[in-house]
Amino acid sequence: MKKLFITEKPSVAMEFAHAIGSGGKRMDGYFEDDNYVITWCLGHLVTMSYPDKYDPDMQEWSMDTLPFIPAHYRYEVIPESKKQYDTVAKLLNRPDIGAIYYAGDSGREGEYIQRLVRQMAGRNMGAKEFRVWIDSQTNEEIRRGIREAAPLSKYDALSESAYARAIEDYCIGINYSRVLTVALGRDVGAAAGQQRATLSVGRVMSCVLGMVVKREREIRENIKIPYFPVTATIGDGIEFRFRPGKGSSYYGEEDLYNRKGFLERKKAEQFVGEMETSPLLEKADPSVVKKHAPLLFNLAELQAFCTKNYHISPDKTLQIAQSLYEKKLTTYPRTDARVLTTAMCKVIHVNILGLSSIEELSSSVAFIREQGAWKDLEKTRYVDDSAVTDHYAIIPTGKTQAYAGLDGLERQVYLAICRRFLSIFYPPAEFYHVEALLTSKGESFHTSAEYLLSPGWLIAAGTKPESNVDGNTGGKEKALLLRQLSVGQRYLARYDVRQEVTKPPRRYTTGSMVLAMENAGKLIEDEELREQIKRSGIGTSATRADTIKKLISIKYLQCSKEQVLSPTLLGEAVFEALDICVPSLLSPEMTASWEKGLQGISDGHISREQYLEKLYKSVIHTVSAAKTYGSSPEVKTSLRERMERVYPFHGKGKAPAAETYVCPLCRKEVRKGKGGFYCTGRPEGCEFFLWESWCQKRLSDANVKALLSGKKTALIKGFKSKAGTAFSARLQIKDGRIVPEFEKGGKK
């Protein structure tokens, strides 16, 4: 009996063949020798069927068919992938296969891809099934993964989570996109300067759109408020800033902006007049501050780093990280962890010493080797088994054979990963820091300074030291001046009032957006703080880059060369429609709670059925509400009014006229439907309907607009009578029916 391995793609299949020593012959879609058969999936081979495969009437988008929640979901082979699917299906069912090793991408999506093939194709029921889970594509790691392969059933919970995620995205995408497009597609299109818009709605995508639009609104609405900090300067130009503490008579005072300065110059000058000419130096405390190397890269941190330093998109970073992984240079990229496991500590010296052949890293490797720094790694904050779920952080494998062939950008990203990795084996960087306090009449003035004493890990990282001290931090010269001051002594001071202005928040970049998605919509600048909060992210490390990329491709967002994100006019119109009808989709907290539920399925805390029951209730409720809201003239009016406030920011000072029409019989709203335009008063008995075609000729948008506005059309040529006779006419609606006015001298 032979062993069958199903990998992610052909290149990975070749790596498996090398690792297990298979000299198998390359066949059409697989390798085979006397003991092994190795094939691949080429990404998704099977997908969920569109609604029209359940019911042909679902091809037309209509309120009548919503909500759409199948009792049993249908799946189909992707036509472009059918040849490879047939190959894998045939191999799965071969009677000489005694063991099946599912060796796809080691994550939720990889699990889903292979489970779908297994579901559609069936398998040799006598074969044992195993799951190979690896962290890199080195021969040693592949052999370990095969050797330690667990029964496939161990990953059933992960599979259930993957199915639930796909069903959730399907239900939300199909139902919400259709109901909002039917209800408000024409209105959103008009708001964006189009005839009609198809709204693309998604659980994660819509949330990210909401985050970008809300940030843009914060920037627009920001009013530059001047405020007036007060400084006290003593000695050789040492400047202290007034910052009220809890004992200050100004603490919590409304006259102050964020404890940084007075809101009125007059109040600031009055405050200066109350201060002593010779304030007391109460503190000038020197200390040595140790700053440890940052935690290792996970995918989100690497993407943010590359956006900031190389101005490349998260999608491009993921492509590079995947390429480095496939070239055996780094470990698995789609990870959320920033630490290592205790098991990895036992062999970590291999990863370190393997980098000695790279000139840019050789001196760091030599230092670490001389110190034996890896021996106590398990006792540091860089190792935490509880913080690793599927994969540990992204680190170099120590296999450097492919390094010489890297292009410029690949090399930069690879070296960044290596330097971050090597820096954790160095001692902390040490800074000489002085914190000083000046007091006058019970009020406090603060300053600080620091300079580098010992670079420590900064040598390995190749970065310049940056102070993280608040205030007007100075360098070595200022620190030395502060050291010369005598605590308890009074110094002659000059007080000054300055003017500064409040600043708006910064726009998201593609990199900072990935970090914000990882932390449930919170853009936390401080790297250490990001690790302290409990994660409940939006999307997954594998999908966040694609989400941003799709929003840009469908023109809801635009992205500058520096990777700065801002909404388009269409994106803002879609945002407003969602905010009116489905505001929960714009909530990071709500979206993160769904993702947390999916993780609960993976962890075995809840069942797939429980999760889907909650999902279906939400979809039914939301679609019903959207039907009601979408049919309301008040909602259309609200959408127009909201967008009128948006136009000036997109170079359009005035909103385009909204194309809304009233019925010539009952004066209710007329809407576009299947085959023509119908009156919304039909349930009450109004029979008005304007067909898109009349006498075998399709009416143009201009003709429809004229007719529904109560006007006569221009002369239209090309009509044909039932007898096939061509004629021309002007049209007008009278008593709810089209009445032609024939061309003079023409045939009637």
Side-chain angles (χ1 to χ4, degrees):
M1 302 293 282
K2 295 186 177 183
K3 294 179 179 179
L4 171 65
F5 291 89
I6 306 175
T7 65
E8 184 182 350
K9 50 187 169 183
S11 61
V12 182
M14 291 181 66
E15 298 298 341
F16 268 72
H18 294 152
I20 62 180
S22 171
K25 183 180 178 183
R26 173 78 181 252
M27 312 296 282
D28 191 6
Y30 63 99
F31 299 97
E32 183 169 8
D33 65 10
D34 294 338
N35 300 305
Y36 304 108
V37 181
I38 307 173
T39 188
W40 52 86
C41 274
L42 284 178
H44 278 277
L45 301 181
V46 177
T47 188
M48 300 179 79
S49 298
Y50 276 100
D52 57 283
K53 295 298 176 66
Y54 296 80
D55 182 352
D57 289 341
M58 289 292 294
Q59 194 161 2
E60 283 289 335
W61 289 23
S62 167
M63 294 283 198
D64 298 336
T65 57
L66 300 175
F68 174 68
I69 301 175
H72 301 285
Y73 289 90
R74 296 183 183 179
Y75 299 84
E76 58 190 69
V77 177
I78 299 172
E80 296 80 7
S81 306
K82 188 175 187 307
K83 183 180 178 182
Q84 186 60 24
Y85 167 81
D86 289 340
T87 298
V88 177
K90 185 177 179 181
L91 295 173
L92 276 168
N93 287 280
R94 269 178 39 173
D96 63 335
I97 297 297
I100 303 169
Y101 289 80
Y102 298 92
D105 194 23
S106 301
R108 186 170 71 185
E109 195 66 13
E111 189 74 19
Y112 182 57
I113 288 171
Q114 299 207 327
R115 293 280 184 147
L116 284 179
V117 175
R118 177 178 179 266
Q119 170 187 306
M120 288 286 288
R123 63 199 185 283
N124 175 3
M125 299 302 291
K128 294 181 179 179
E129 296 182 291
F130 301 94
R131 181 62 160 104
V132 178
W133 199 272
I134 58 177
D135 286 302
S136 71
Q137 291 187 13
T138 63
N139 290 343
E140 295 84 355
E141 179 66 5
I142 290 173
R143 287 194 287 266
R144 182 206 61 76
I146 296 171
R147 186 172 62 250
E148 298 177 6
L152 183 63
S153 58
K154 178 182 176 182
Y155 293 88
D156 283 350
L158 180 65
S159 171
E160 291 288 282
S161 173
Y163 273 92
R165 192 276 310 161
I167 290 170
E168 179 179 42
D169 287 348
Y170 182 90
C171 283
I172 288 177
I174 294 293
N175 284 285
Y176 296 1
S177 295
R178 292 190 175 207
V179 73
L180 291 175
T181 297
V182 173
L184 293 171
R186 184 173 292 277
D187 302 273
V188 169
Q194 305 173 8
Q195 184 179 355
R196 188 178 183 84
T198 299
L199 277 70
S200 185
V201 182
R203 172 178 59 96
V204 177
M205 185 175 69
S206 298
C207 177
V208 173
L209 171 66
M211 291 166 64
V212 175
V213 173
K214 289 173 184 175
R215 175 57 57 87
E216 193 71 18
R217 303 278 172 91
E218 288 178 32
I219 294 170
R220 288 175 192 164
E221 293 165 7
N222 177 73
I223 300 172
K224 290 185 177 181
I225 302 172
Y227 64 96
F228 303 91
V230 175
T231 62
T233 305
I234 66 171
D236 294 329
I238 304 175
E239 186 179 282
F240 292 71
R241 280 206 173 197
F242 168 59
R243 191 171 72 231
K246 288 187 177 180
S248 168
S249 57
Y250 290 89
Y251 186 77
E253 179 65 47
E254 293 181 359
D255 290 337
L256 289 174
Y257 166 69
N258 201 23
R259 296 179 64 208
K260 292 183 178 180
F262 291 87
L263 290 172
E264 295 181 21
R265 178 182 289 275
K266 184 178 179 180
K267 292 283 181 71
E269 291 172 346
Q270 180 182 333
F271 171 79
V272 167
E274 297 170 354
M275 294 298 101
E276 298 170 312
T277 55
S278 300
L280 178 69
L281 182 70
E282 289 205 4
K283 183 176 76 171
D285 295 340
S287 63
V288 175
V289 177
K290 295 184 178 182
K291 300 179 183 179
H292 293 272
L295 296 174
L296 296 162
F297 283 128
N298 62 9
L299 181 58
E301 294 286 342
L302 179 64
Q303 288 169 323
F305 178 90
C306 290
T307 296
K308 181 179 179 180
N309 292 278
Y310 311 136
H311 290 166
I312 59 175
S313 68
D315 179 61
K316 180 65 175 177
T317 301
L318 178 55
Q319 290 176 22
I320 293 172
Q322 183 69 25
S323 174
L324 295 175
Y325 169 66
E326 291 173 6
K327 291 172 181 175
K328 304 184 181 182
L329 289 165
T330 59
T331 57
Y332 185 75
R334 293 175 175 86
T335 177
D336 289 322
R338 299 189 62 199
V339 292
L340 301 172
T341 60
T342 51
M344 191 62 199
C345 287
K346 295 177 173 58
V347 294
I348 201 69
H349 63 282
V350 175
N351 302 64
I352 300 169
L353 301 179
L355 301 177
S356 59
S357 62
I358 297 177
E359 182 180 353
E360 297 94 325
L361 307 174
S362 58
S363 59
S364 292
V365 174
F367 173 83
I368 295 169
R369 186 174 187 175
E370 181 182 342
Q371 301 294 317
W374 63 81
K375 295 176 183 177
D376 295 323
L377 181 64
E378 193 173 334
K379 301 175 184 177
T380 69
R381 69 192 190 116
Y382 305 105
V383 178
D384 184 356
D385 289 346
S386 66
V388 179
T389 51
D390 297 334
H391 299 277
Y392 49 74
I394 304 172
I395 61 172
T397 61
K399 306 291 183 182
T400 59
Q401 291 87 339
Y403 177 71
L406 297 182
D407 64 31
L409 195 53
E410 281 184 318
R411 182 167 295 200
Q412 282 182 303
V413 176
Y414 175 67
L415 289 176
I417 293 170
C418 292
R419 287 174 175 140
R420 176 65 66 97
F421 169 67
L422 293 175
S423 67
I424 73 172
F425 300 97
Y426 268 68
E430 295 184 355
F431 293 81
Y432 183 84
H433 180 81
V434 183
E435 192 81 28
L437 170 66
L438 201 64
T439 62
S440 175
K441 295 285 187 73
E443 302 297 347
S444 302
F445 294 77
H446 300 259
T447 196
S448 58
E450 68 177 24
Y451 62 91
L452 183 66
L453 289 175
S454 173
W457 63 271
L458 294 170
I459 296 173
T463 58
K464 295 180 180 179
E466 292 182 3
S467 173
N468 65 350
V469 182
D470 293 333
N472 54 328
T473 302
K476 187 173 184 178
E477 183 180 352
K478 183 178 178 181
L480 294 177
L481 287 173
L482 287 172
R483 282 179 59 183
Q484 296 170 12
L485 298 177
S486 300
V487 175
Q489 184 174 330
R490 291 186 177 273
Y491 290 87
L492 185 65
R494 184 187 76 249
Y495 296 96
D496 295 290
V497 176
R498 296 185 176 178
Q499 179 175 329
E500 297 179 4
V501 294
T502 58
K503 295 179 181 179
R506 287 180 289 181
R507 288 184 175 88
Y508 289 105
T509 64
T510 53
S512 66
M513 174 54 73
V514 168
L515 289 180
M517 292 171 73
E518 186 182 51
N519 294 294
K522 300 178 181 69
L523 182 53
I524 301 170
E525 301 287 352
D526 185 79
E527 186 177 4
E528 298 301 318
L529 183 58
R530 288 200 296 271
E531 285 303 309
Q532 293 173 21
I533 71 166
K534 187 177 181 180
R535 278 207 186 93
S536 181
I538 299 166
T540 66
S541 57
T543 61
R544 289 172 188 137
D546 281 340
T547 298
I548 298 170
K549 183 180 178 182
K550 182 175 181 180
L551 283 165
I552 296 169
S553 70
I554 62 177
K555 295 182 170 47
Y556 286 7
L557 299 181
Q558 52 195 358
C559 182
S560 71
K561 290 181 180 179
E562 292 75 27
Q563 297 297 307
V564 177
L565 294 171
S566 59
T568 63
L569 182 60
L570 175 60
E572 296 213 49
V574 173
F575 168 86
E576 295 295 1
L578 290 170
D579 194 39
I580 293 169
C581 297
V582 201
S584 61
L585 273 183
L586 301 172
S587 165
E589 293 77 15
M590 177 64 74
T591 307
S593 72
W594 286 109
E595 195 65 50
K596 195 171 183 180
L598 292 172
Q599 187 60 48
I601 299 176
S602 297
D603 297 339
H605 298 152
I606 61 172
S607 69
R608 172 175 157 187
E609 290 72 23
Q610 289 172 316
Y611 185 86
L612 293 181
E613 181 182 1
K614 180 181 177 182
L615 168 69
Y616 294 153
K617 285 181 180 178
S618 176
V619 169
I620 291 168
H621 171 76
T622 302
V623 170
S624 299
K627 281 183 176 182
T628 303
Y629 291 142
S631 302
S632 167
E634 289 79 13
V635 166
K636 297 174 183 295
T637 301
S638 175
L639 178 62
R640 288 197 302 273
E641 290 175 349
R642 288 180 179 211
M643 289 304 296
E644 283 171 3
R645 295 192 289 269
V646 171
Y647 280 99
F649 299 102
H650 290 271
K652 299 178 183 291
K654 188 178 180 182
E659 304 220 33
T660 56
Y661 308 107
V662 295
C663 175
L665 297 179
C666 71
R667 310 307 295 170
K668 290 197 174 181
E669 187 180 358
V670 172
R671 287 191 187 166
K672 177 78 166 57
K674 188 175 182 180
F677 298 81
Y678 69 94
C679 175
T680 55
R682 290 178 73 184
E684 288 81 34
C686 183
E687 296 182 355
F688 175 77
F689 191 89
L690 173 65
W691 292 99
E692 286 183 315
S693 296
W694 189 79
C695 288
Q696 303 182 56
K697 180 177 177 64
R698 187 179 182 87
L699 300 175
S700 68
D701 290 340
N703 291 330
V704 169
K705 182 176 181 180
L707 288 168
L708 292 176
S709 301
K711 300 176 182 177
K712 188 185 297 183
T713 69
L715 184 68
I716 305 172
K717 298 180 180 181
F719 291 124
K720 285 186 179 180
S721 69
K722 291 181 180 179
T725 304
F727 68 93
S728 303
R730 293 178 176 83
L731 306 182
Q732 189 172 10
I733 292 178
K734 293 182 179 180
D735 298 327
R737 299 171 63 87
I738 287 182
V739 176
E741 179 184 287
F742 297 103
E743 184 182 14
K744 290 183 180 180
K747 294 180 180 179
K748 295 186 179 179

